[in-house]
Amino acid sequence: MGRFLIKRILTMIVTIFVIIAITFIMMHSIPGGPFTREKALPDAVLQALNQKYHLDDPLWKQFVDYVKGILTFNLGPSFQRAGVTVNDLIREGFPATLKIGLASVVVIIIVGIPLGILSALKQNKWQDGLVMFIATLGVTIPSFVMATGIIYIFSAKLGWLPSNGLTSWKHMIGPVIALSGFSLSFVARLTRSSMLEVLQQDYIRTARAKGLSNNKVIYKHALKNALIPVVTYMGPMIAALLTGSFVIEKVFAIPGMGKHFVESVGNRDYTVLMGITIFYALFLVVMVLIVDILYSLIDPRIKMED
C-alpha cells in the first residue's frame, strides 16, 4: 500500500505540473491581454498595470513565479477585481458549489444504483423498461435544457420552486435535479449492465447451487463486483460535481465557482481561469486516487501493486 501511494502521489504531482504548464501556455497564447479593451488604455496606464502584475517579466519568469505561488497555495490576484485574489473567489464560491455537488452525489448514489439493480433483477419486465426509459431520457437531455425546463414549469408556471439563488432547501431542488440527471441515468444504466454480466458468472451459479438465498447471492457476492465499473465512473464524476457545473450555476444564478469562471472568460481574467482550472484538476486526480484505493476495499482480489 505504501509504495503504491507514493507512486501514485508522484504521478499526481507530475500530472498537475503538466496541467499547470499547458494552462499557462494556453492563457498566454490568446491574442490580447487581460487589460485589452475596445477602447485602448493609455500606454502609461497599460505599462503601469503590466509592471504591477509583473506581466512585463519574461514568460519563463512569470511561469516560475506562478508555480512558486501555487506551492504556497497562492493562486495570484484577480486582474479585473482590485484587491481580490483567486483564493478569495474560490473561498467565496466553493461553499455553494460544494453544497449543490454533495447533494447531487447523494441523489445519484441512493437513486441511480438501486434503479440499476432493480432493472437488472427485473430484466425484460415492465420495471426494467420504465427504468431504462427514464435513464435514456436523462442521458439524452442536456443539463441546461433540463434546467431551463425546470425553471419554466416548476418556477414560472406552477410556482413550486424558486428560480434563482441558494438561500433555502427549496432552492437546491432544481439545480440538484438538473445537475444529477445525466450522471444518475448513466450510473443506473452502468449498474444494470454490470449487474447482468456478473449474474452470468460461474461463481454466482455455484453460490446458487450451494443453496444460498437470493438476497445473499445478489448483495454479498454479485453487487461488490458489479459496482467496480460504477466506482470507476464515479471518481471523476464526483470531482466534476463538487467543483461545479458552470452552466447550471449560471442558469439558476447560484453564486458558486461557475459564476466566477464564466465571468473570468468574458473579462479575460487569466489568473481566475487558471486558478479554477488547476483547482478542478487537483480535485480530479485526488478522486482518481481514492477510486483506486476503493477498488481493493470493494474487491479484495484486486491488489495494489507497483
Side-chain angles (χ1 to χ4, degrees):
M1 172 72 82
R3 294 178 62 187
F4 170 83
L5 289 177
I6 292 172
K7 183 177 179 180
R8 290 308 307 269
I9 290 172
L10 291 175
T11 303
M12 287 169 53
I13 293 172
V14 173
T15 302
I16 292 297
F17 179 80
V18 172
I19 292 172
I20 292 171
I22 292 174
T23 306
F24 183 88
I25 292 171
M26 289 180 64
M27 289 299 101
H28 285 77
S29 299
I30 298 174
F35 307 115
T36 302
R37 302 287 187 274
E38 291 184 9
K39 184 178 179 180
L41 294 173
D43 291 340
V45 174
L46 188 59
Q47 183 178 357
L49 288 171
N50 287 333
Q51 287 179 347
K52 177 181 178 180
Y53 294 106
H54 304 286
L55 297 177
D56 54 351
D57 290 342
L59 198 59
W60 67 267
K61 187 176 186 307
Q62 293 184 48
F63 178 73
V64 171
D65 291 341
Y66 188 69
V67 172
K68 287 180 180 177
I70 292 175
L71 292 177
T72 58
F73 303 100
N74 177 14
L75 296 174
S78 168
F79 289 153
Q80 303 297 332
R81 301 175 65 170
V84 177
T85 67
V86 179
N87 295 49
D88 294 333
L89 296 178
I90 292 176
R91 280 193 293 266
E92 175 188 318
F94 188 60
T97 296
L98 182 64
K99 186 184 295 185
I100 295 296
L102 284 176
S104 299
V105 170
V106 171
V107 169
I108 291 167
I109 293 174
I110 66 175
V111 177
I113 293 177
L115 282 179
I117 296 172
L118 173 65
S119 183
L121 298 180
K122 301 294 183 180
Q123 185 182 15
N124 298 326
K125 296 182 179 179
W126 68 267
Q127 297 95 329
D128 183 25
L130 179 61
V131 171
M132 286 300 97
F133 174 74
I134 295 173
T136 301
L137 286 180
V139 170
T140 54
I141 298 176
S143 59
F144 68 89
V145 174
M146 190 178 296
T148 304
I150 291 171
I151 291 176
Y152 178 75
I153 297 173
F154 296 101
S155 299
K157 292 296 183 181
L158 299 177
W160 292 354
L161 300 175
S163 61
N164 58 76
L166 196 64
T167 56
S168 70
W169 65 270
K170 286 186 176 181
H171 288 81
M172 296 181 61
I173 296 175
V176 168
I177 293 174
L179 187 58
S180 63
F182 175 85
S183 295
L184 188 152
S185 302
F186 191 87
V187 165
R189 293 169 65 91
L190 187 60
T191 302
R192 176 186 182 273
S193 61
S194 181
M195 194 74 175
L196 288 174
E197 181 180 350
V198 169
L199 289 174
Q200 301 301 318
Q201 300 297 317
D202 291 338
Y203 71 91
I204 296 297
R205 297 192 188 98
T206 302
R208 293 187 189 279
K210 287 181 178 179
L212 296 180
S213 66
N214 192 50
N215 286 340
K216 197 168 186 178
V217 170
I218 292 170
Y219 295 106
K220 184 176 180 179
H221 297 281
L223 186 57
K224 276 188 175 183
N225 292 328
L227 285 180
I228 292 176
V230 179
V231 172
T232 303
Y233 169 74
M234 292 189 70
M237 179 207 75
I238 291 174
L241 292 176
L242 295 186
T243 48
S245 171
F246 304 150
V247 175
I248 298 301
E249 290 186 9
K250 189 68 175 178
V251 172
F252 286 97
I254 296 173
M257 288 176 61
K259 169 177 174 288
H260 299 313
F261 188 87
V262 173
E263 289 178 352
S264 68
V265 173
N267 295 333
R268 297 190 178 206
D269 202 342
Y270 297 159
T271 48
V272 176
L273 276 170
M274 291 189 292
I276 294 179
T277 300
I278 293 166
F279 184 77
Y280 170 79
L282 181 61
F283 240 101
L284 182 59
V285 296
V286 169
M287 289 308 305
V288 170
L289 175 63
I290 293 174
V291 165
D292 288 340
I293 296 174
L294 286 177
Y295 279 161
S296 65
L297 300 179
I298 294 174
D299 189 349
R301 296 174 305 171
I302 300 176
K303 302 297 182 182
M304 293 183 182
E305 299 176 350
D306 296 301

